[in-house]
Every structure is written in C-alpha cells, then in structure tokens.
Amino acid sequence: MDFDALYRGESPAPGIPPMTTPPWDTKAPKENVIAWQTRGWIHGDVVDIGCGLGDNAIYLAQHGHRVTALDISPTALITAERRAADAGVDVRFAVTDATALDGYSDAFDTVIDSGMFHCLDDDGKRSYAAAVHRATRPGATLLISCFSDANPPSEQWPRPAVPEQTLRDVLGSAGWDVESLEPVAVCREIDGTEAELAFWYVRAQRRASA
C-alpha cells in the first residue's frame, strides 16, 4: 500500500480506487486514544507512530503532552502540520519509516499506534517492535489499536487481520510485556454506511532488554 499516493488522492494499490478522503479521516482523535488518555496510560515524552493527518497527536498536545508525530507520508504531514497550527499546539512532525525509526534511541516514554501495526507484513511487524523498543526508555508504555481477526472478510474493503497470538509473539520477542489486550467493537462510517469493526486495544510495558 502506497500511503503517500492515497493521501495525494491517487490509487494506493492495484484494485483500490482513489479516495478523496481516507475513511479514517474523522478530523477528531480516535476513541482508543481518548480512552488511553482518560485511563492515565500516556506519560512522559510521547511518539505517535503512523500519525497520518495528526488528529491524535494534536489531541494529546492539547492535554499537555510533548508529542513527536511520525508518518511515512510527506503529503499527510503537510495537512497534519496545518491542523496543528490551526489548533495552536506544538507537535514535532517528521517523515519516518516505522520499521526502522532511524535517529530515535532512548527518546520516548509512551508510544501511540492507532491503526499502523496492522498495515505491516510479518517481517515489518517484527522490525517495528524492535525499533520502538530501541526508541523508548526503560518503563515505556506501548499502546496499539489494530484490526483483529474477528472481522469478516470483505472483497470491497479488504482488511488485514491480526490474531491475538501474533501480537503476543511479536511484542514479547522484542522486549515488550503485554499487560492488557482487549477485543473492542467500534462503529465506523464506510461509504456512508455504519459498520462495526473489531479491534484489539493493546497495552504493553517495555522490558529493560529485548
């Protein structure tokens, strides 16, 4: 999936039509991010990985967090920077590959991932989990929202499916202890129709070494 093409309004992959607006662009923070903030799980220096159009990062900055927001799409970050400026908050945006996180070591206390993990293939997931371990400090928290394998198959909107065991194996082998893993049903509008989608909400704690 070419996410920069998607944000430019072009087809991101064979068989997927161009979109004027990505289906996840609600111009508001996601339910999971609000829940994590409300529960007090977000602390210290925060990195939002796969930040897209920046609404989650802006919400966290509005709640007093120092936020770095990373995405692989330069086009998405142009909009994200504009939205942050309009909201009057300071967020540091940068174009970065989440599977490498080059230039970031021992830098963050909380990782926010709202819908990025499930976009990676198996090798990418493992590289990502190791990269966020390297980029964080001892005691860091990793918060992930991703599609679960409970979603029925859809030819029109094919979605990645992440089994519970994949999350536990990938994170555990990279030095993350899963402290909670909740199955959650979320209502989203797709092509003007309300659809119920199954997600995992994950909270993991960083071990001192992988």
Side-chain angles (χ1 to χ4, degrees):
M1 180 81 78
D2 183 341
F3 281 96
D4 199 56
L6 185 150
Y7 285 112
R8 293 195 305 268
E10 303 168 7
S11 172
I16 300 179
M19 306 174 199
T20 303
T21 303
W24 53 83
D25 181 16
T26 59
K27 299 178 175 61
K30 294 297 182 285
E31 305 89 341
N32 50 289
V33 177
I34 295 172
W36 295 334
Q37 167 65 21
T38 302
R39 293 176 181 181
W41 290 350
I42 299 172
H43 58 100
D45 291 315
V46 180
V47 60
D48 179 2
I49 298 181
C51 69
L53 299 170
D55 297 303
N56 294 325
I58 291 165
Y59 168 81
L60 295 175
Q62 289 171 328
H63 281 76
H65 298 290
R66 185 161 59 181
V67 183
T68 299
L70 310 176
D71 201 277
I72 201 166
S73 168
T75 303
L77 294 188
I78 292 171
T79 298
E81 289 173 343
R82 185 177 67 247
R83 290 185 183 182
D86 290 345
V89 295
D90 180 24
V91 177
R92 291 171 289 177
F93 292 100
V95 177
T96 307
D97 180 348
T99 64
L101 296 180
D102 292 334
Y104 297 99
S105 297
D106 195 35
F108 305 111
D109 304 292
T110 305
V111 179
I112 299 294
D113 172 354
S114 185
M116 206 282 304
F117 185 85
H118 59 229
C119 295
L120 303 172
D121 62 18
D122 290 344
D123 288 341
K125 288 181 175 69
R126 287 189 286 270
S127 297
Y128 162 89
V132 292
H133 190 280
R134 189 191 67 250
T136 51
R137 302 174 181 132
T141 299
L142 171 60
L143 299 167
I144 296 175
S145 169
C146 65
F147 283 135
S148 89
D149 53 349
N151 287 307
S154 169
E155 290 187 6
Q156 183 178 7
W157 289 103
R159 298 180 190 93
V162 182
E164 176 180 352
Q165 198 58 48
T166 295
L167 283 161
R168 294 189 181 279
D169 290 347
V170 169
L171 297 180
S173 64
W176 295 95
D177 292 324
V178 175
E179 299 199 335
S180 65
L181 200 159
E182 307 170 55
V184 180
V186 177
C187 286
R188 292 280 169 82
E189 185 176 307
I190 300 175
D191 285 346
T193 303
E194 285 287 325
E196 189 173 86
L197 302 177
F199 285 82
W200 294 117
Y201 286 4
V202 184
R203 177 168 60 103
Q205 202 76 17
R206 184 190 188 275
R207 295 198 297 269
S209 59

